[in-house]
């Protein structure tokens, strides 16, 4: 029903913001990834929104980007995952991190998000497989092939964080083999 709001940012109280759109103030819940990128109070802002009607409330959720909103929509389709949990997931990890965790079936990364237990993480991986990762992006543009996915997993297993591993993977030639790719990535990370 309400797909986008553009107006003046009146208040910022995480995770809620108050947006004045021509004299009407909208309370909008946003993930922290969106919250951190908001302008200062008094500035104009545009948010893509998702309107949710419950028996006891009508809630508005806002997102800075279309992939964030799409990820939110996919998350709330899952049984047992409500809007608050979906917002928590998107606050705990970016959309590309979520897509990567789903593509690589890494429940451990989802369990790190507050409020997500092992069973919920496994359900998320099962129900979002093929949906979120395929729609949202190619895992930071990194793991486009099986070889690159294997290299990425190896780097993560060796203790490198997501950003380091993705950066090393981007620097590799497109059609590199797994063993050569790991060697080249480790050399790049050693610098």
């Amino acid at each position: 029903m309400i797909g986008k709001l553009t107006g003046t940012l009146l208040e910022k109280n995480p995770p809620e913001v108050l947006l004045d759109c021509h004299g009407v103030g909208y309370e909008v819940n946003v993930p922290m990834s969106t919250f951190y990128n908001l302008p200062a109070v008094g500035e104009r802002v545009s948010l893509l929104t998702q309107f949710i009607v419950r028996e006891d409330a009508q809630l508005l959720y806002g997102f800075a980007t279309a992939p964030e909103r799409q990820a939110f929509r996919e998350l709330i389709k899952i049984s047992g995952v409500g809007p608050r949990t979906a917002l928590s997931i998107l606050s705990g990890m970016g959309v590309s991190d979520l897509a990567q965790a789903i593509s690589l079936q890494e429940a451990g990364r989802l369990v790190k998000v507050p409020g997500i237990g092992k069973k919920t993480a496994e359900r998320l991986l099962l129900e979002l497989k093929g949906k979120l990762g395929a729609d949202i992006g190619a895992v930071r543009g990194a793991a486009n092939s099986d070889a690159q996915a294997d290299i990425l997993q190896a780097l993560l297993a060796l203790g490198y964080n997501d950003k380091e591993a993705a950066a090393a993977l981007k620097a590799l030639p497109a059609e590199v083999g797994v063993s050569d790719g790991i060697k080249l990535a480790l050399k790049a990370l050693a610098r």
Side-chain angles (χ1 to χ4, degrees):
M1 180 177 166
I2 301 173
K4 180 180 177 186
L5 291 174
T6 301
T8 305
L9 188 61
L10 294 180
E11 292 179 20
K12 292 167 63 171
N13 299 312
E16 189 175 274
V17 296
L18 182 62
L19 193 62
D20 177 18
C21 299
H22 303 290
V24 178
Y26 291 95
E27 293 175 345
V28 184
N29 290 298
V30 297
M32 295 312 290
S33 52
T34 295
F35 188 84
Y36 292 136
N37 291 316
L38 289 173
V41 171
E43 299 286 320
R44 288 191 58 79
V45 66
S46 278
L47 294 174
L48 298 170
T49 59
Q50 178 68 41
F51 184 60
I52 299 196
V53 178
R54 295 189 333 212
E55 188 176 305
D56 60 340
Q58 295 181 14
L59 304 167
L60 201 54
Y61 294 88
F63 308 93
T65 65
E68 264 186 336
R69 181 172 66 177
Q70 184 59 35
F72 180 83
R73 287 175 172 171
E74 290 296 330
L75 286 165
I76 61 174
K77 287 179 187 176
I78 297 170
S79 174
V81 177
R84 281 194 180 155
T85 304
L87 207 63
S88 177
I89 292 168
L90 291 174
S91 292
M93 59 190 331
V95 175
S96 59
D97 293 327
L98 179 60
Q100 184 175 11
I102 291 163
S103 297
L104 300 175
Q105 292 294 289
E106 295 178 332
R109 289 171 65 184
L110 292 172
V111 173
K112 292 178 184 175
V113 176
I116 302 297
K118 186 177 179 185
K119 287 185 179 181
T120 304
E122 289 170 354
R123 189 172 348 108
L124 287 169
L125 292 178
L126 179 68
E127 295 202 30
L128 292 176
K129 186 175 186 177
K131 293 180 185 175
L132 195 62
D135 292 343
I136 301 281
V139 186
R140 281 198 183 114
N144 294 327
S145 70
D146 289 339
Q148 287 187 326
D150 290 343
I151 295 166
L152 182 65
Q153 275 189 313
L155 294 174
L156 293 172
L158 289 170
Y160 291 100
N161 68 34
D162 298 337
K163 289 182 182 177
E164 293 169 332
L169 203 58
K170 284 181 185 175
L172 297 178
E175 296 300 319
V176 69
V178 176
S179 60
D180 291 337
I182 292 171
K183 289 176 189 171
L184 291 171
L186 289 173
K187 283 182 185 176
L189 288 165
R191 292 182 197 151

